């Protein structure tokens, strides 16, 4: 009797490893199924590109978000964009700090230059706008940041920079059949009052790269670039 009980006990102990392995396997399979179901239920999340990791700082995202909310990026109609006083509020930083946000985009952006007191795009400007806009690479937002030199009155320069930003937007509407254009393009016109460009930016892609680059020429311009930050 004792021997029979001992045999039964040994058999039971021998079965324990197989039993626990079976339980663990079943539990792991259940956890895997639950994980797969949870992953399937999650909303799709955009994957940041290498460029996104390099230049999408907290400050740039903050400016982008404020432009999106305050400067008409998500609204349609005749009135879109931010003028100088609005842009200062949106940026909440010095002009130099604002310009520094865009330094990492040197290889991606361009500077559209204009003739003194004019707002129309010349042939080289059109070519550069088309080239930069076509290079979207999955980005969501296209910035147009226009300026004026310090020649003339403050009010005149506000109007000039506004006209330059709108000239880029008008061309994009005419050139590209993009139904999302109103939701993609953010306009900031800075006049002469905020974030003037230094000659550091002469080395960027410019529509008049064959001409001498002086600060007054550089600031009769519109900076353009796709920004592929994930907000």
């Amino acid at each position: 009797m004792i021997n029979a009980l001992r045999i039964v006990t040994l058999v039971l102990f021998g079965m324990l490893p197989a039993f626990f392995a079976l339980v663990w396997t079943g539990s792991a399979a259940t956890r895997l199924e639950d994980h797969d179901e949870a992953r399937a239920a999650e909303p799709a999340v955009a994957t940041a590109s290498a460029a996104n990791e390099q230049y999408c700082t907290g400050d740039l995202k903050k400016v982008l978000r404020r432009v999106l909310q305050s400067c008409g990026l998500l609204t349609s109609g005749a009135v879109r964009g931010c003028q100088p006083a609005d842009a200062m509020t949106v940026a909440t930083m010095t002009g130099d700090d604002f310009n520094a946000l865009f330094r990492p985009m040197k290889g991606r952006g361009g500077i559209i230059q204009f003739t003194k007191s004019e707002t129309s795009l010349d042939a080289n400007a059109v070519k550069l706008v088309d080239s930069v806009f076509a290079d979207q690479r999955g980005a969501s937002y296209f910035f147009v940041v226009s300026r004026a030199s310090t020649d003339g009155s403050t009010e005149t320069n506000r109007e000039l920079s506004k006209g330059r930003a709108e000239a880029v937007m008008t061309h994009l509407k005419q050139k590209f059949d993009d139904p999302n254009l109103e939701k993609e393009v953010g306009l900031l016109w800075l006049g002469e009052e905020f974030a003037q460009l230094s000659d550091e930016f002469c080395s960027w892609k410019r529509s008049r790269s064959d001409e001498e680059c002086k600060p007054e020429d550089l600031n009769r311009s519109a900076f353009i670039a796709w920004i592929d930050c994930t907000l």
Side-chain angles (χ1 to χ4, degrees):
M1 182 68 178
I2 294 174
N3 288 338
L5 181 60
R6 182 177 296 173
I7 292 171
V8 170
T9 301
L10 289 174
V11 170
L12 288 175
F13 273 110
M15 293 175 63
L16 282 176
F19 172 77
F20 284 119
L22 182 63
V23 170
W24 184 88
T25 303
S27 177
T30 301
R31 290 196 302 271
L32 183 59
E33 290 175 1
D34 291 342
H35 177 70
D36 289 342
E37 289 176 1
R39 288 288 301 273
E42 289 177 358
V45 177
T47 302
S49 67
N52 178 43
E53 295 173 359
Q54 290 170 10
Y55 69 67
C56 285
T57 63
D59 282 339
L60 179 58
K61 288 185 178 183
K62 180 170 64 177
V63 170
L64 179 59
R65 190 176 294 110
R66 287 178 175 172
V67 170
L68 188 103
Q69 295 169 346
S70 306
C71 301
L73 190 60
L74 296 181
T75 62
S76 58
V79 180
R80 296 181 72 253
C82 281
Q83 60 184 352
D86 297 329
M88 294 176 198
T89 302
V90 167
T92 61
M93 58 181 61
T94 67
D96 288 341
D97 288 339
F98 178 80
N99 288 340
L101 295 176
F102 299 96
R103 283 194 185 113
M105 300 175 206
K106 181 176 179 179
R108 190 81 188 271
I111 296 176
I112 307 303
Q113 292 182 260
F114 294 83
T115 300
K116 183 178 179 179
S117 301
E118 293 188 8
T119 60
S120 58
L121 302 175
D122 61 23
N124 286 336
V126 167
K127 184 177 179 180
L128 185 54
V129 170
D130 291 353
S131 173
V132 174
F133 191 79
D135 188 27
Q136 183 173 359
R137 297 188 228 171
S140 300
Y141 306 111
F142 189 79
F143 261 29
V144 180
V145 185
S146 60
R147 297 171 171 83
S149 69
T150 55
D151 297 334
S153 68
T154 298
E155 191 59 38
T156 297
N157 288 330
R158 285 185 179 185
E159 291 302 313
L160 279 172
S161 63
K162 178 182 179 182
R164 288 163 180 167
E166 291 177 340
V168 174
M169 184 65 169
T170 297
H171 173 72
L172 291 175
K173 288 180 177 178
Q174 294 173 347
K175 174 72 176 182
F176 296 93
D177 183 20
D178 188 342
N180 296 315
L181 202 62
E182 293 285 353
K183 297 180 180 180
E184 294 173 338
V185 182
L187 306 179
L188 288 84
W189 50 88
L190 307 182
E192 64 178 59
E193 301 162 75
F194 182 65
Q196 287 270 292
L197 296 175
S198 68
D199 55 9
E200 166 195 353
F201 288 87
C202 287
S203 62
W204 284 48
K205 287 184 289 188
R206 297 182 293 118
S207 61
R208 298 184 178 181
S209 57
D210 58 336
E211 297 181 5
E212 184 180 3
C213 183
K214 298 178 181 178
E216 57 267 31
D217 301 318
L218 193 60
N219 283 291
R220 300 183 188 114
S221 67
F223 164 86
I224 57 173
W226 280 106
I227 299 179
D228 49 353
C229 293
T230 303
L231 298 181

